[in-house]
Amino acid sequence: MAKVIQECKLIVWDECTMAHKKAIEALNRSLIDLTGKNDIMGRITIAFSGDFRQILPVVPRGTKTDEIHVCIKSSNLWEHVIRLKLTSNIRVQLSKEQDSDEFSKFLLDIGEGKLPIDENNQISLTR
């Protein structure tokens, strides 16, 4: 298995936003050891994917602050991450529904906090 990893050029880590930062830092140390290259992730490209608007790492009996403290953004590796942002919901657009473009924009507006908040700090999901 080490030989496979040494020859690897790309590793994809889906839903990395749910991972504890220590798991990502452990991967970094392991790849450095396996490749013998003392550089971030042993010079292997890692494609992290995930949405910080969905779910953060679970910290048993932890607070919101604890969850933020253990997420990848709190890792010393975060400064080396090149961030790309997807802005089109292809699944919705390919559905061929009449209002799919409107629904796609509605979903992005929810995620980006662009919908008005009422007195109970809630948003209305009706269009």
Side-chain angles (χ1 to χ4, degrees):
M1 187 57 117
K3 193 73 170 158
V4 171
I5 292 173
Q6 289 169 347
E7 295 179 17
C8 188
K9 301 292 182 217
L10 172 70
I11 296 173
V12 178
W13 186 327
D14 192 20
E15 301 297 350
C16 72
T17 56
M18 297 187 316
H20 195 292
K21 71 178 180 182
K22 298 239 182 249
I24 295 163
E25 292 166 357
L27 174 66
N28 179 50
R29 288 188 305 277
S30 296
L31 292 176
I32 289 170
D33 288 345
L34 287 169
T35 62
K37 298 173 183 170
N38 194 18
D39 202 357
I40 301 296
M41 299 293 180
R43 293 191 196 145
I44 295 175
T45 300
I46 311 295
F48 292 117
S49 70
D51 188 346
F52 288 101
R53 297 174 292 194
Q54 291 180 353
I55 187 167
L56 292 174
V58 175
V59 179
R61 293 179 294 285
T63 65
K64 289 180 183 180
T65 303
D66 295 331
E67 292 172 353
I68 292 169
H69 181 68
V70 302
C71 84
I72 186 176
K73 285 185 171 185
S74 296
S75 171
N76 60 348
L77 296 172
W78 185 249
E79 66 186 76
H80 302 285
V81 174
I82 298 169
R83 292 167 291 284
L84 304 173
K85 184 177 179 183
L86 299 176
T87 57
S88 297
N89 187 330
I90 301 301
R91 184 182 298 161
V92 171
Q93 291 176 356
L94 292 176
S95 72
K96 298 188 180 9
E97 297 283 330
Q98 286 182 339
D99 62 348
S100 64
D101 287 336
E102 178 186 340
F103 184 63
S104 179
K105 182 182 178 324
F106 180 68
L107 290 176
L108 287 172
D109 287 346
I110 290 172
E112 293 172 1
K114 292 182 178 177
L115 297 180
I117 298 172
D118 68 16
E119 64 276 354
N120 297 322
N121 206 25
Q122 296 179 350
I123 60 170
S124 173
L125 296 180
T126 58
R127 293 186 271 160

